[in-house]
Amino acid sequence: TYTASFRVEENADVELMKVVSSFEPIEVQPGTAFYELPLPETAVFAAGDGKEYTLDLIWSRGDYEADAYNMTFVLTGEPVLPDGVLNSAGVGAKIEVKVLGPGEALAAGDTYVNDGGKANDNFGSANTLHIKLDGSGYQREALFQFDITRENQFPFNFSLS
């Protein structure tokens, strides 16, 4: 008689190798609290099994200072690991956050307007703003919209008229 024995092994854990996602830097007004930052919720990671995993992120505050002016901070997002995925190397997503300085403000919207034959056209999706002071029919003015309800956005006094 012959005896055979089998051992069933679970799939081996897989190790994260690198971050595939990259994020554009973000700019915020002074006074923007850490929890108000528009940080990405997920990132794509490559693993040792050749697959890519989209994982939730938990962002670390690091040395971020909401009231700093004209400073850039690098924040790290740690992936939330599902069962069977390891992160021994501490691979994490990174993003730059710039706190704007005095005199800088993020426009909530912008456009430009023409007079003359294009006076009724909408240029709200244009990538550039055109300004031109010329004869009638060739005038162009740029318009900006700002959220004036945000504290510390404008480091100077102003009034609306």
Side-chain angles (χ1 to χ4, degrees):
T1 60
Y2 293 94
T3 304
S5 60
F6 296 94
R7 185 172 71 180
V8 177
E9 292 183 13
E10 292 184 27
N11 289 340
D13 290 332
V14 106
E15 188 72 45
L16 292 183
M17 304 301 287
K18 67 178 183 176
V19 182
V20 176
S21 298
S22 63
F23 304 111
E24 292 294 320
I26 57 176
E27 294 180 337
V28 297
Q29 299 297 331
T32 302
F34 176 75
Y35 68 86
E36 293 177 313
L37 296 175
L39 299 170
E41 295 181 11
T42 62
V44 177
F45 294 84
D49 62 356
K51 295 180 182 175
E52 292 184 348
Y53 295 85
T54 300
L55 302 175
D56 290 338
L57 297 171
I58 298 174
W59 290 96
S60 273
R61 178 185 194 99
D63 59 352
Y64 175 74
E65 295 178 36
D67 293 323
Y69 283 104
N70 202 26
M71 291 189 65
T72 300
F73 302 93
V74 178
L75 303 183
T76 302
E78 182 179 328
V80 176
L81 302 175
D83 290 340
V85 177
L86 303 175
N87 189 13
S88 305
V91 176
K94 298 203 180 299
I95 192 166
E96 288 186 3
V97 178
K98 179 185 179 191
V99 179
L100 297 175
E104 294 181 281
L106 291 176
D110 59 50
T111 189
Y112 71 95
V113 293
N114 282 10
D115 69 346
K118 294 190 176 188
N120 292 321
D121 290 358
N122 183 343
F123 299 98
S125 62
N127 291 330
T128 57
L129 300 175
H130 298 272
I131 301 171
K132 186 175 184 182
L133 298 176
D134 208 341
S136 181
Y138 298 99
Q139 304 273 356
R140 295 180 181 94
E141 294 182 12
L143 304 169
F144 298 90
Q145 178 183 25
F146 295 97
D147 178 2
I148 61 172
T149 62
R150 297 280 317 236
E151 289 183 36
N152 300 323
Q153 180 170 346
F154 297 98
F156 46 83
N157 293 325
F158 67 95
S159 62
L160 300 176
S161 55

